[in-house]
Amino acid sequence: MTITSPALPFDPAGIQLDATRGLSRGLYQALRQRVLDGRLASGTRMPASRDLAGALGVSRNTVVRAYDQLYAEGFLQGKVGDGTYVAVLEAPAKKLSTKLSTGLSMGFSTGLSTKSPENTGFSSSKVIHSDAFKLLDEHHISPVRSGPPRAFRVGVPAFDLFPFATWAKLSAAFWREPDPALLGYGDPAGDPGLRALIAAYLRSSRGLNCTAEQILITTGAQEAIGLCAQLLVDAGDTVAVENPGYRAAGHAFANAGAVLKGVPVDGEGLVCAALEQIHGCRMVYVTPAHQYPTGVTLSLARRLALLEWAERNQGWIIEDDYDGEYRYSGAPLAPLAALDRSERVLYVGTFGKVAFPALRLGYLVVPPALAEAFSRKRAVAMRHSEIGTQRVMARFIADGHFQRHIRRMRRAALARRDALLQHWPVDISGVGALPTVSAGLHLTIPVQSLAREQELVSKAEEAGVELNALSHYWLSDSEEPVDNRAGLVLGFAAVDETATAAALTRLRQAWR
Amino acid sequence: MTITSPALPFDPAGIQLDATRGLSRGLYQALRQRVLDGRLASGTRMPASRDLAGALGVSRNTVVRAYDQLYAEGFLQGKVGDGTYVAVLEAPAKKLSTKLSTGLSMGFSTGLSTKSPENTGFSSSKVIHSDAFKLLDEHHISPVRSGPPRAFRVGVPAFDLFPFATWAKLSAAFWREPDPALLGYGDPAGDPGLRALIAAYLRSSRGLNCTAEQILITTGAQEAIGLCAQLLVDAGDTVAVENPGYRAAGHAFANAGAVLKGVPVDGEGLVCAALEQIHGCRMVYVTPAHQYPTGVTLSLARRLALLEWAERNQGWIIEDDYDGEYRYSGAPLAPLAALDRSERVLYVGTFGKVAFPALRLGYLVVPPALAEAFSRKRAVAMRHSEIGTQRVMARFIADGHFQRHIRRMRRAALARRDALLQHWPVDISGVGALPTVSAGLHLTIPVQSLAREQELVSKAEEAGVELNALSHYWLSDSEEPVDNRAGLVLGFAAVDETATAAALTRLRQAWR
């Protein structure tokens, strides 16, 4: 990372905090303002949170929270093992700073400010010597790796099998003679026809008894999660997230001013007992069908406990069913939204894992009482989504292509999963046993230590194989010993069986 | 509007305000929470801002600000002349409540809380007896009127002339064999190819010397404005807006917690001297090319004064060039962004007025130092936009269709403008003279009084002609005498010359 030199020493004395506006928020605003107006130059080294807290006479948490927010928004980035710096915002440095600071904000936004030893421990190799960050970015915010899918990219379905000819035909059919009534300003909640089809699909495929009025079409799952954060989270609120978990969701909540609390995940999924211990928490984000990234399915007992928690606390559950279409064995459990009797669950769905991510088409199913407020919020944010993609998807579903394609994708993912399980090098030291994979598009394998995880990921990268470090999916202030966080996360659907076998051959050689 | 009865009397005693979190924000949060968890039932009548302020021992502004925010988010709505109520959020009531509450939140969000007499004066007729609200919604947030364009809908170009066959061909061509590298997760700032083409277009057509790195592709202009609000406005900040002006922009700023201050507009556009009087204001939203809705062009002297203001105050100028392609006579002045030497201008552009609104494709040109932060913010909000529309538009521009279409649209808008000017009934009492229309897609005609404005709009509506009341474009706490705010706003591009002439014939009869 190029640091603008000379990096000015940063003088916290200039900061006036107004207690009536919230100290942490005030500090965040003061620092952000200084970055925007240039008083804090790019590359300026920020004091450690403890030092700044001392200098300002505020608690260290106040500083950590402000730093985290600045990370999430890209104003700060880290030079691993070397502290925290004002992001390099100059356009020429963009690509580079995107890669580094995004990777860092994903992996260690909290870690850098809390200076957990493990971060300096392994991350420098990531930032400076390997491509793992670019991979990490792939399924987090602000991806930088382009190029066709590779083994074992996470978050990418077998879109080489998508019926593009059909999609092209339907697109042309829509655009040749669109109904003029559809070309002006539409319903902020989305095309009524598509919403009705999604409601019908969720009723039949998920037992989710919802109406079209409860459905909001979004620009992918990320916008759906972000809308929940904007409308239901106030600055300073505590939001519980699975740990390890989907960091991009955490960033959406942090962006709305939430304080993130990690909740452990065991063989039954999110540990509700731990959630109960988080004082004043009224929102939790979960991936019940296939926990991201561990792959655990939330047990029915836990589902009921979670719903009971929400009802008792008048809380909200954000249920992200990001890959619910992929179930290979065993009956799928009913989504929380289908079990919800007290209208506390907001269900997030996406077409990205059945079609392809760049379609950016997702949806949110909200309790009837919230539908109007969400629709209004979205109207103020962007009015509504582009009409063509919505109408073409509606036609794609109505004509039966969608259901056919889901079956095709499930078969393909299963075959690709089997290719991975069959060719996986079983005799690698420090690598745990393969899990049973009954759902989803990725699997997670435990590794004995963080050091070993990093070594395996780096060697794989040198052999041109994308592996993800499980340690990156943890909040860095986790109490879990760092070696217990180590593992490998592999997406198995991105490439076909032949490419999968070939990648595993390269991997075996690289790891020898 | 159906009010859930019995409407419970609202008891403010339950509200505990925490001064350390901001009183207005705290009150807003407390009220919102009560609506969400049902403690404040739909239809509950809210106390007048003055009474609630008294009961809570806070300033009336504190209450007004909280109410405004709740309006913008749809939690409150008004029964005109009868106070403020908790919105009817039940799904069955959706359509109705959308129409009413949105109309109100557009027209009178401030008015209702400040109880300006003029609101009760004319708005009851709007809500209860006429369709004018639905029209108003059309070009504001959350439109409810569907159906093909009619005379004289505002904000709608002559999209009956859009080359849909070409667009369909290009769409099919892209989707038949898309590059797999484009189907995963892309650049949050948008497709690099499209951004480069937009930069080239702005350089040649606006003299705006920008690079692709400064351009952020957005879901229409509304998202571009919203991103500026989210990234550059802190809760409680003052944002100056043109008055009369584009209310949907004001809502985006209010949504980010801004306090809106109206700045008068005269024959030279926004009155900079009045802006200078607004203490502590560091952001202004302007429509320099063709002030919305008055149609005035911001003079060069004012442009330079505005830039000087921004530089002196380290402030930001949001320049919305929503219909800059439509210039019929006289040389267009350079956009503020082209004159900006101190990187204080953020330029908003859209394809909605050249193609059609439902395409939801717009862009933001930001100073180089802000590009990274905006890209990051958008990544957290939604990752990026759908790829197909971006690539098809890039092809549409690269192949020259775009420039050809702009010329076609300009000719059409000019012919439709002339049809309006030629057939306009000149002898209607209380209606001012037609203005000279040298730019844009709409014109504004003064009316002698608010009562007369309402009468003309209602009669037009009965004759199936969409007219907009200029009074709706004013902030309702304006000092301008209400009769000075009266006028008619007509879009002249939505339908062709024949339909325009026919509508004016109906109008003449209706007004006789």
Side-chain angles (χ1 to χ4, degrees), chain A residues 20-22 32 36 74 138 140-141 164 175 183 185 222 231 234-235 246 255 358 370 376-377 379-380 383, chain B residues 19-21 32 36 74 138 140-141 164 175 183 185 222 231 234-235 246 255 358 370 376-377 379-380 383:
Chain A
T20 65
R21 290 268 298 272
R32 188 182 70 169
L36 286 176
E138 206 71 40
H140 278 128
I141 293 306
F164 289 105
W175 285 119
L183 301 177
Y185 293 115
Q222 189 66 27
L231 203 51
D234 295 322
Y246 184 49
N255 212 259
L370 295 184
R376 196 74 45 86
K377 185 80 177 181
V380 176
R383 290 183 181 271
Chain B
T20 66
R21 291 270 296 272
R32 188 181 70 167
L36 286 175
E138 206 68 41
H140 277 127
I141 295 305
F164 289 105
W175 285 119
L183 302 178
Y185 293 114
Q222 188 67 26
L231 203 52
D234 295 323
Y246 184 49
N255 213 259
L370 295 185
R376 196 72 45 87
K377 185 79 178 182
V380 175
R383 287 182 183 275

Side-chain angles (χ1 to χ4, degrees), chain B residues 36-274:
Chain B
L36 286 175
D37 63 25
R39 277 177 292 166
L40 259 176
S42 294
T44 304
R45 180 177 183 153
M46 303 295 290
S49 55
R50 188 175 277 101
D51 304 342
L52 183 54
L56 294 170
V58 299
S59 83
R60 188 152 151 288
N61 261 344
T62 300
V63 178
V64 169
R65 248 182 253 156
Y67 274 20
D68 284 351
Q69 181 76 13
L70 291 162
Y71 266 100
E73 296 184 5
F75 291 101
L76 294 183
Q77 58 193 38
K79 198 175 167 192
V80 175
D82 189 15
T84 308
Y85 290 81
V86 175
V88 178
L89 297 177
E90 288 74 11
K94 182 169 188 304
K95 279 276 150 286
L96 184 64
S97 62
T98 307
K99 187 178 82 184
L100 297 180
S101 60
T102 309
L104 290 166
S105 69
M106 292 308 144
F108 322 109
S109 60
T110 326
L112 278 166
S113 37
T114 55
K115 288 222 176 308
S116 327
E118 72 273 20
N119 295 335
T120 40
F122 65 88
S123 38
S124 56
S125 67
K126 299 263 130 310
V127 184
I128 314 305
H129 310 303
S130 103
D131 276 335
F133 262 138
K134 294 188 288 184
L135 313 187
L136 188 66
D137 292 343
E138 206 68 41
H139 32 267
H140 277 127
I141 295 305
S142 191
V144 291
R145 164 80 57 116
S146 61
R150 295 162 63 199
F152 293 93
R153 189 166 297 176
V154 174
V156 175
F159 61 65
D160 49 307
L161 301 178
F162 188 76
F164 289 105
T166 302
W167 191 263
K169 214 168 80 279
L170 297 178
S171 299
F174 172 79
W175 285 119
R176 259 193 305 275
E177 292 179 45
D179 174 356
L182 297 175
L183 302 178
Y185 293 114
D187 187 332
D191 177 69
L194 177 59
R195 290 159 68 202
L197 286 161
I198 291 172
Y201 166 67
L202 292 176
R203 280 195 297 271
S204 65
S205 72
R206 303 282 199 289
L208 206 172
N209 199 356
C210 61
T211 68
E213 289 68 29
Q214 290 174 254
I215 292 176
L216 191 81
I217 303 296
T218 63
T219 306
Q222 188 67 26
E223 193 205 349
I225 297 166
L227 282 169
C228 294
Q230 289 166 46
L231 203 52
L232 302 176
V233 173
D234 295 323
D237 284 0
T238 298
V239 173
V241 295
E242 297 163 325
N243 191 27
Y246 184 49
R247 303 298 301 272
H251 281 280
F253 295 115
N255 213 259
V259 179
L260 300 182
K261 294 285 185 192
V263 178
V265 174
D266 65 14
E268 283 192 68
L270 179 116
V271 178
C272 296

